[in-house]
Amino acid sequence: MDKKPQVAVIGAGFAGLSAAALLAKHGCEVTVIEKNEMAGGRARTWEKDGFSFDMGPSWYWMPDVFENFYQLFNKTTSDFYELKRLDPSYRIYFNREDTLNVPATIKKLYALFEELEPGSTKNLDVFLKQAKYKYDVGMNEYVFKPSHSVMEYFDPRLAISGIKLQLLGNMRNHVHQLFKNEKLRKLLEFPVLFLGATPGNTPALYSLMNYADLIMGTWYPMGGMHEIVSAMQTIAEQEGVKFLFNTTVSKIEVKGKIAKTIKTNKGDLEIDYVIGNADYNHIEQHLLDKPYRNYDKKYWESRTMAPSSLLFYIALNKKLKNVLHHNLFFDQNFDQHAEEIYTDPQWPSQPLFYACCPSITDDRVAPEGCENLFFLIPLAPGLEDSELKRAEYFEILADRFRDLTGNEIRDAILFKRSYAMNDFVSDYNAFKGNAYGLANTLKQTAFLKPKMKSKVTNMLYTGQLTIPGPGVPPAIISGQVVAKEIIKKLKKA
């Protein structure tokens, strides 16, 4: 090629970083346009007075996905950060006197199941073997498909796999058929919450998440989750990718179904290809003229979105007791909170919540003698967001955290910051203020998701609103898939 193909990536989230690095490696001139001041999308970091907060993802699962990505560039995880396996992986609070620590070893895991439900280890063995099969097949054959058409799945091998993968069953029935103990049921249903739907609406395929959780383990990159972003940005820059931060895209100009120009607040970019890693709905409804949109407003309004979140980043001037790095508070009715997210959207009456305290593992994220604390409540997307509501729910969380762990935090707060729907909209143009993208329901799986292909012939979408779905590992894979699609186009040109 006499002239390198010019590729613009809109958005520097995990999918955008992944695609940008791979296309630059293939010989493209790649520019990543990011409206915020740093890369990472929802995985940005916020620093103040010696505290460093991961603003978004805090769980490091599926370490093989990260390692496989790094190896594409002859790198390995340890080239960028120290990865530490957490043991216990996390704690579930059912009430103050009733907690469950999820062990990191298979021996302790089997002992835990036997203690809570005598004789259940036989079914646990069946469950985990099925989950491993789903993980191996799903991660090697399904998630790397661009899902342009249902025909991609008409393969005898995949048809047989599809039956074993339980694509038509749901997680709730799958778990409840095998286990009677309510605590074990909650433990096994918990990981699918990352996929943005209730267990009853999530295909049983996603017990692969239990394999990732219970067998592959929960890890932490020392320094924080933004270390992953830094690693991917470093790789991209080494491959020649250029980053334009604090740069807002106002329009994608299209002529004859071909995107020609990206208009930004800092000038125009002439391009050969464009990848949309920003919010899919925002790109379609605000950056493209109507004839070039895949979907209309009615389509987007009919989608089942994954939850939004109310988050608090809290700096404490004391150390906490009786908590782990990851803590889940399941002391209230799970199904009621789920109904208030998905069925009858409203601020939850008795929310379940999550608390992350990375300074227990990593003394780099808080000053000596201090603690870095992060609260999260899943919320229905599109709710009315106000400072008054945020303050009300902080008091609810602080009371529950005190009652369940014995830690009063209000008198130890150096500073705190809240983050919710309005912030997701203003920072990420997130449709309805969603935090996790599109829910992985049966009707929104694989080729039933919003398509990667655009009506614009030299444009594709990537990220959590398209293939393969929400989460950090799927986003990295999404970037790999979209990069391969453009490389195929380049080879044909």
Side-chain angles (χ1 to χ4, degrees), residues 330-365:
F330 284 1
D331 55 308
Q332 299 296 329
N333 188 298
F334 179 100
D335 290 332
Q336 180 178 328
H337 189 167
E339 184 173 324
E340 290 165 342
I341 293 175
Y342 299 103
T343 308
D344 183 18
Q346 59 183 284
W347 283 83
S349 49
Q350 295 292 333
L352 279 68
F353 70 102
Y354 160 61
C356 179
C357 190
S359 46
I360 287 175
T361 304
D362 188 355
D363 60 12
R364 283 176 282 185
V365 301

CSV table of all heavy atoms in Angstrom, one decimal, residues 330-365:
chain,number,residue,atom,x,y,z
A,330,PHE,N,-26.2,-8.9,50.4
A,330,PHE,CA,-27.4,-9.6,49.9
A,330,PHE,C,-28.4,-9.8,51.1
A,330,PHE,O,-29.0,-10.8,51.2
A,330,PHE,CB,-27.1,-10.9,49.3
A,330,PHE,CG,-26.5,-10.9,47.9
A,330,PHE,CD1,-26.2,-9.7,47.3
A,330,PHE,CD2,-26.2,-12.0,47.2
A,330,PHE,CE1,-25.7,-9.6,46.0
A,330,PHE,CE2,-25.6,-12.0,46.0
A,330,PHE,CZ,-25.4,-10.8,45.3
A,331,ASP,N,-28.4,-8.8,52.0
A,331,ASP,CA,-29.2,-8.9,53.2
A,331,ASP,C,-30.7,-8.5,52.9
A,331,ASP,O,-31.5,-8.7,53.8
A,331,ASP,CB,-28.7,-8.0,54.3
A,331,ASP,CG,-28.5,-6.6,53.9
A,331,ASP,OD1,-27.9,-6.4,52.8
A,331,ASP,OD2,-29.0,-5.7,54.6
A,332,GLN,N,-31.0,-8.0,51.7
A,332,GLN,CA,-32.4,-7.6,51.4
A,332,GLN,C,-32.8,-8.5,50.2
A,332,GLN,O,-32.1,-9.3,49.7
A,332,GLN,CB,-32.4,-6.2,51.0
A,332,GLN,CG,-32.0,-5.2,52.1
A,332,GLN,CD,-32.9,-5.2,53.3
A,332,GLN,OE1,-34.1,-5.5,53.1
A,332,GLN,NE2,-32.3,-5.0,54.4
A,333,ASN,N,-34.1,-8.4,49.9
A,333,ASN,CA,-34.7,-9.2,48.9
A,333,ASN,C,-34.2,-9.0,47.5
A,333,ASN,O,-34.4,-7.9,46.9
A,333,ASN,CB,-36.3,-9.0,48.9
A,333,ASN,CG,-37.0,-10.0,48.1
A,333,ASN,OD1,-36.8,-10.1,46.9
A,333,ASN,ND2,-37.9,-10.8,48.7
A,334,PHE,N,-33.5,-10.0,47.0
A,334,PHE,CA,-32.9,-10.0,45.6
A,334,PHE,C,-33.9,-9.7,44.6
A,334,PHE,O,-33.7,-8.8,43.7
A,334,PHE,CB,-32.1,-11.3,45.4
A,334,PHE,CG,-31.4,-11.4,44.1
A,334,PHE,CD1,-30.1,-11.2,43.9
A,334,PHE,CD2,-32.1,-11.7,42.9
A,334,PHE,CE1,-29.4,-11.3,42.7
A,334,PHE,CE2,-31.5,-11.9,41.7
A,334,PHE,CZ,-30.1,-11.6,41.6
A,335,ASP,N,-35.0,-10.5,44.6
A,335,ASP,CA,-36.0,-10.4,43.5
A,335,ASP,C,-36.7,-9.1,43.5
A,335,ASP,O,-37.1,-8.5,42.4
A,335,ASP,CB,-37.0,-11.6,43.6
A,335,ASP,CG,-36.4,-12.9,43.3
A,335,ASP,OD1,-35.4,-12.9,42.5
A,335,ASP,OD2,-36.8,-13.9,43.9
A,336,GLN,N,-36.9,-8.5,44.7
A,336,GLN,CA,-37.6,-7.2,44.7
A,336,GLN,C,-36.7,-6.1,44.1
A,336,GLN,O,-37.2,-5.3,43.3
A,336,GLN,CB,-37.9,-6.8,46.2
A,336,GLN,CG,-38.6,-5.5,46.3
A,336,GLN,CD,-39.0,-5.1,47.8
A,336,GLN,OE1,-39.2,-6.0,48.6
A,336,GLN,NE2,-39.0,-3.9,48.1
A,337,HIS,N,-35.4,-6.1,44.4
A,337,HIS,CA,-34.5,-5.1,43.8
A,337,HIS,C,-34.5,-5.3,42.3
A,337,HIS,O,-34.5,-4.4,41.6
A,337,HIS,CB,-33.1,-5.3,44.5
A,337,HIS,CG,-32.2,-4.2,44.1
A,337,HIS,ND1,-31.0,-3.9,44.7
A,337,HIS,CD2,-32.3,-3.2,43.1
A,337,HIS,CE1,-30.4,-2.9,44.1
A,337,HIS,NE2,-31.1,-2.4,43.1
A,338,ALA,N,-34.4,-6.6,41.9
A,338,ALA,CA,-34.4,-6.9,40.4
A,338,ALA,C,-35.7,-6.3,39.8
A,338,ALA,O,-35.6,-5.8,38.7
A,338,ALA,CB,-34.2,-8.4,40.2
A,339,GLU,N,-36.8,-6.5,40.4
A,339,GLU,CA,-38.1,-6.0,39.8
A,339,GLU,C,-38.0,-4.5,39.7
A,339,GLU,O,-38.6,-3.9,38.7
A,339,GLU,CB,-39.2,-6.5,40.7
A,339,GLU,CG,-40.6,-6.1,40.2
A,339,GLU,CD,-41.7,-6.7,41.0
A,339,GLU,OE1,-41.6,-7.8,41.5
A,339,GLU,OE2,-42.8,-6.0,41.1
A,340,GLU,N,-37.4,-3.8,40.7
A,340,GLU,CA,-37.3,-2.4,40.7
A,340,GLU,C,-36.3,-1.9,39.7
A,340,GLU,O,-36.2,-0.7,39.4
A,340,GLU,CB,-37.0,-1.9,42.1
A,340,GLU,CG,-38.2,-2.1,43.0
A,340,GLU,CD,-37.9,-1.9,44.5
A,340,GLU,OE1,-36.7,-2.0,44.8
A,340,GLU,OE2,-38.8,-1.8,45.3
A,341,ILE,N,-35.5,-2.8,39.1
A,341,ILE,CA,-34.6,-2.4,38.0
A,341,ILE,C,-35.3,-2.7,36.7
A,341,ILE,O,-35.3,-1.8,35.8
A,341,ILE,CB,-33.3,-3.2,38.1
A,341,ILE,CG1,-32.5,-2.7,39.3
A,341,ILE,CG2,-32.4,-2.9,36.8
A,341,ILE,CD1,-31.2,-3.5,39.6
A,342,TYR,N,-35.8,-3.9,36.5
A,342,TYR,CA,-36.3,-4.4,35.2
A,342,TYR,C,-37.8,-4.3,34.9
A,342,TYR,O,-38.2,-4.0,33.8
A,342,TYR,CB,-35.8,-5.8,35.0
A,342,TYR,CG,-34.3,-6.0,35.1
A,342,TYR,CD1,-33.7,-6.5,36.2
A,342,TYR,CD2,-33.5,-5.6,34.0
A,342,TYR,CE1,-32.3,-6.6,36.2
A,342,TYR,CE2,-32.1,-5.7,34.0
A,342,TYR,CZ,-31.5,-6.2,35.2
A,342,TYR,OH,-30.2,-6.3,35.2
A,343,THR,N,-38.6,-4.6,35.9
A,343,THR,CA,-40.0,-4.7,35.7
A,343,THR,C,-40.8,-3.4,35.9
A,343,THR,O,-41.6,-2.9,35.1
A,343,THR,CB,-40.6,-5.8,36.5
A,343,THR,OG1,-39.9,-7.0,36.3
A,343,THR,CG2,-42.1,-6.1,36.1
A,344,ASP,N,-40.5,-2.8,37.1
A,344,ASP,CA,-41.2,-1.6,37.5
A,344,ASP,C,-40.1,-0.6,37.9
A,344,ASP,O,-39.8,-0.3,39.1
A,344,ASP,CB,-42.1,-1.9,38.7
A,344,ASP,CG,-42.9,-0.7,39.1
A,344,ASP,OD1,-43.0,0.3,38.4
A,344,ASP,OD2,-43.4,-0.7,40.3
A,345,PRO,N,-39.4,0.1,36.9
A,345,PRO,CA,-38.3,0.9,37.2
A,345,PRO,C,-38.5,2.0,38.2
A,345,PRO,O,-39.5,2.8,38.1
A,345,PRO,CB,-37.9,1.5,35.8
A,345,PRO,CG,-38.5,0.6,34.8
A,345,PRO,CD,-39.8,0.0,35.5
A,346,GLN,N,-37.7,2.0,39.3
A,346,GLN,CA,-37.8,3.0,40.3
A,346,GLN,C,-36.6,2.9,41.2
A,346,GLN,O,-35.8,2.0,41.2
A,346,GLN,CB,-39.1,2.7,41.2
A,346,GLN,CG,-39.1,1.4,41.9
A,346,GLN,CD,-40.4,1.1,42.6
A,346,GLN,OE1,-40.6,1.6,43.7
A,346,GLN,NE2,-41.3,0.3,42.0
A,347,TRP,N,-36.4,4.0,42.0
A,347,TRP,CA,-35.3,3.9,43.0
A,347,TRP,C,-35.6,2.8,44.0
A,347,TRP,O,-36.8,2.7,44.4
A,347,TRP,CB,-35.2,5.2,43.7
A,347,TRP,CG,-34.5,6.3,42.9
A,347,TRP,CD1,-35.1,7.1,41.9
A,347,TRP,CD2,-33.1,6.6,42.9
A,347,TRP,NE1,-34.1,7.9,41.4
A,347,TRP,CE2,-32.9,7.6,41.9
A,347,TRP,CE3,-32.0,6.1,43.6
A,347,TRP,CZ2,-31.6,8.1,41.7
A,347,TRP,CZ3,-30.8,6.7,43.4
A,347,TRP,CH2,-30.6,7.7,42.5
A,348,PRO,N,-34.7,1.9,44.3
A,348,PRO,CA,-35.0,0.7,45.0
A,348,PRO,C,-35.4,1.0,46.5
A,348,PRO,O,-34.8,1.9,47.1
A,348,PRO,CB,-33.7,-0.1,45.0
A,348,PRO,CG,-32.6,0.9,44.7
A,348,PRO,CD,-33.3,1.9,43.8
A,349,SER,N,-36.4,0.2,47.0
A,349,SER,CA,-36.8,0.5,48.3
A,349,SER,C,-35.9,-0.1,49.3
A,349,SER,O,-35.6,0.5,50.4
A,349,SER,CB,-38.2,-0.2,48.5
A,349,SER,OG,-38.2,-1.5,48.0
A,350,GLN,N,-35.3,-1.2,49.1
A,350,GLN,CA,-34.3,-1.9,49.9
A,350,GLN,C,-33.1,-2.4,49.1
A,350,GLN,O,-33.1,-3.6,48.7
A,350,GLN,CB,-34.9,-3.0,50.8
A,350,GLN,CG,-36.0,-2.5,51.8
A,350,GLN,CD,-35.4,-1.7,52.9
A,350,GLN,OE1,-34.2,-1.8,53.2
A,350,GLN,NE2,-36.2,-0.8,53.5
A,351,PRO,N,-32.2,-1.6,48.7
A,351,PRO,CA,-31.2,-2.0,47.7
A,351,PRO,C,-30.2,-3.0,48.2
A,351,PRO,O,-29.7,-2.9,49.3
A,351,PRO,CB,-30.5,-0.6,47.3
A,351,PRO,CG,-30.7,0.2,48.5
A,351,PRO,CD,-32.0,-0.2,49.1
A,352,LEU,N,-29.9,-3.9,47.3
A,352,LEU,CA,-28.7,-4.7,47.5
A,352,LEU,C,-27.5,-3.8,47.0
A,352,LEU,O,-27.7,-2.9,46.2
A,352,LEU,CB,-28.7,-5.9,46.6
A,352,LEU,CG,-29.4,-7.1,47.1
A,352,LEU,CD1,-30.9,-6.9,47.1
A,352,LEU,CD2,-29.1,-8.4,46.3
A,353,PHE,N,-26.3,-4.0,47.6
A,353,PHE,CA,-25.2,-3.1,47.1
A,353,PHE,C,-23.9,-3.8,47.2
A,353,PHE,O,-23.8,-5.0,47.7
A,353,PHE,CB,-25.2,-1.8,47.9
A,353,PHE,CG,-24.8,-1.9,49.4
A,353,PHE,CD1,-23.5,-1.5,49.8
A,353,PHE,CD2,-25.7,-2.3,50.3
A,353,PHE,CE1,-23.2,-1.6,51.1
A,353,PHE,CE2,-25.4,-2.4,51.7
A,353,PHE,CZ,-24.1,-2.0,52.1
A,354,TYR,N,-22.9,-3.2,46.7
A,354,TYR,CA,-21.5,-3.8,46.6
A,354,TYR,C,-20.6,-2.7,47.2
A,354,TYR,O,-20.7,-1.5,47.0
A,354,TYR,CB,-21.2,-4.0,45.1
A,354,TYR,CG,-19.7,-4.2,44.8
A,354,TYR,CD1,-18.9,-5.1,45.3
A,354,TYR,CD2,-19.2,-3.3,43.8
A,354,TYR,CE1,-17.6,-5.3,44.9
A,354,TYR,CE2,-17.8,-3.4,43.4
A,354,TYR,CZ,-17.0,-4.4,44.0
A,354,TYR,OH,-15.7,-4.5,43.6
A,355,ALA,N,-19.6,-3.2,48.0
A,355,ALA,CA,-18.5,-2.3,48.5
A,355,ALA,C,-17.2,-2.9,48.1
A,355,ALA,O,-16.9,-4.1,48.3
A,355,ALA,CB,-18.7,-2.2,50.0
A,356,CYS,N,-16.3,-2.1,47.6
A,356,CYS,CA,-15.0,-2.5,47.2
A,356,CYS,C,-14.0,-1.7,48.0
A,356,CYS,O,-14.1,-0.4,48.1
A,356,CYS,CB,-14.8,-2.2,45.7
A,356,CYS,SG,-13.1,-2.6,45.1
A,357,CYS,N,-13.0,-2.3,48.6
A,357,CYS,CA,-12.0,-1.7,49.4
A,357,CYS,C,-10.6,-2.1,48.9
A,357,CYS,O,-10.0,-3.0,49.5
A,357,CYS,CB,-12.2,-2.0,50.9
A,357,CYS,SG,-11.2,-1.0,52.0
A,358,PRO,N,-10.1,-1.6,47.8
A,358,PRO,CA,-8.9,-2.1,47.2
A,358,PRO,C,-7.6,-1.8,48.1
A,358,PRO,O,-6.6,-2.5,47.9
A,358,PRO,CB,-8.8,-1.3,45.9
A,358,PRO,CG,-9.6,-0.1,46.1
A,358,PRO,CD,-10.7,-0.5,47.0
A,359,SER,N,-7.7,-0.8,49.0
A,359,SER,CA,-6.6,-0.5,49.8
A,359,SER,C,-6.3,-1.6,50.8
A,359,SER,O,-5.2,-1.7,51.4
A,359,SER,CB,-6.8,0.8,50.6
A,359,SER,OG,-8.1,0.9,51.1
A,360,ILE,N,-7.2,-2.6,51.0
A,360,ILE,CA,-6.9,-3.7,51.8
A,360,ILE,C,-5.9,-4.6,51.1
A,360,ILE,O,-5.0,-5.2,51.8
A,360,ILE,CB,-8.2,-4.5,52.0
A,360,ILE,CG1,-9.1,-3.8,53.0
A,360,ILE,CG2,-7.9,-6.0,52.5
A,360,ILE,CD1,-10.5,-4.4,53.3
A,361,THR,N,-5.9,-4.6,49.8
A,361,THR,CA,-4.9,-5.4,49.0
A,361,THR,C,-3.7,-4.6,48.6
A,361,THR,O,-2.6,-5.1,48.5
A,361,THR,CB,-5.6,-5.9,47.7
A,361,THR,OG1,-6.8,-6.7,48.1
A,361,THR,CG2,-4.7,-6.8,46.9
A,362,ASP,N,-3.9,-3.3,48.3
A,362,ASP,CA,-2.9,-2.4,47.6
A,362,ASP,C,-2.8,-1.1,48.4
A,362,ASP,O,-3.6,-0.3,48.3
A,362,ASP,CB,-3.5,-2.2,46.2
A,362,ASP,CG,-2.5,-1.5,45.3
A,362,ASP,OD1,-1.4,-1.1,45.8
A,362,ASP,OD2,-2.8,-1.3,44.1
A,363,ASP,N,-1.6,-1.0,49.0
A,363,ASP,CA,-1.4,0.3,49.8
A,363,ASP,C,-1.0,1.5,48.9
A,363,ASP,O,-0.9,2.6,49.4
A,363,ASP,CB,-0.3,0.1,50.8
A,363,ASP,CG,1.1,-0.3,50.3
A,363,ASP,OD1,1.2,-0.2,49.0
A,363,ASP,OD2,2.0,-0.7,51.0
A,364,ARG,N,-1.0,1.3,47.6
A,364,ARG,CA,-0.7,2.4,46.7
A,364,ARG,C,-1.9,3.3,46.4
A,364,ARG,O,-1.8,4.4,45.9
A,364,ARG,CB,-0.1,1.9,45.4
A,364,ARG,CG,1.3,1.4,45.4
A,364,ARG,CD,1.8,0.8,44.1
A,364,ARG,NE,1.4,-0.5,44.0
A,364,ARG,CZ,1.7,-1.3,43.0
A,364,ARG,NH1,2.5,-0.9,42.0
A,364,ARG,NH2,1.3,-2.6,42.9
A,365,VAL,N,-3.1,2.8,46.7
A,365,VAL,CA,-4.3,3.5,46.3
A,365,VAL,C,-4.9,4.4,47.4
A,365,VAL,O,-5.9,5.0,47.2
A,365,VAL,CB,-5.4,2.5,45.8
A,365,VAL,CG1,-4.9,1.7,44.6
A,365,VAL,CG2,-5.9,1.6,46.9
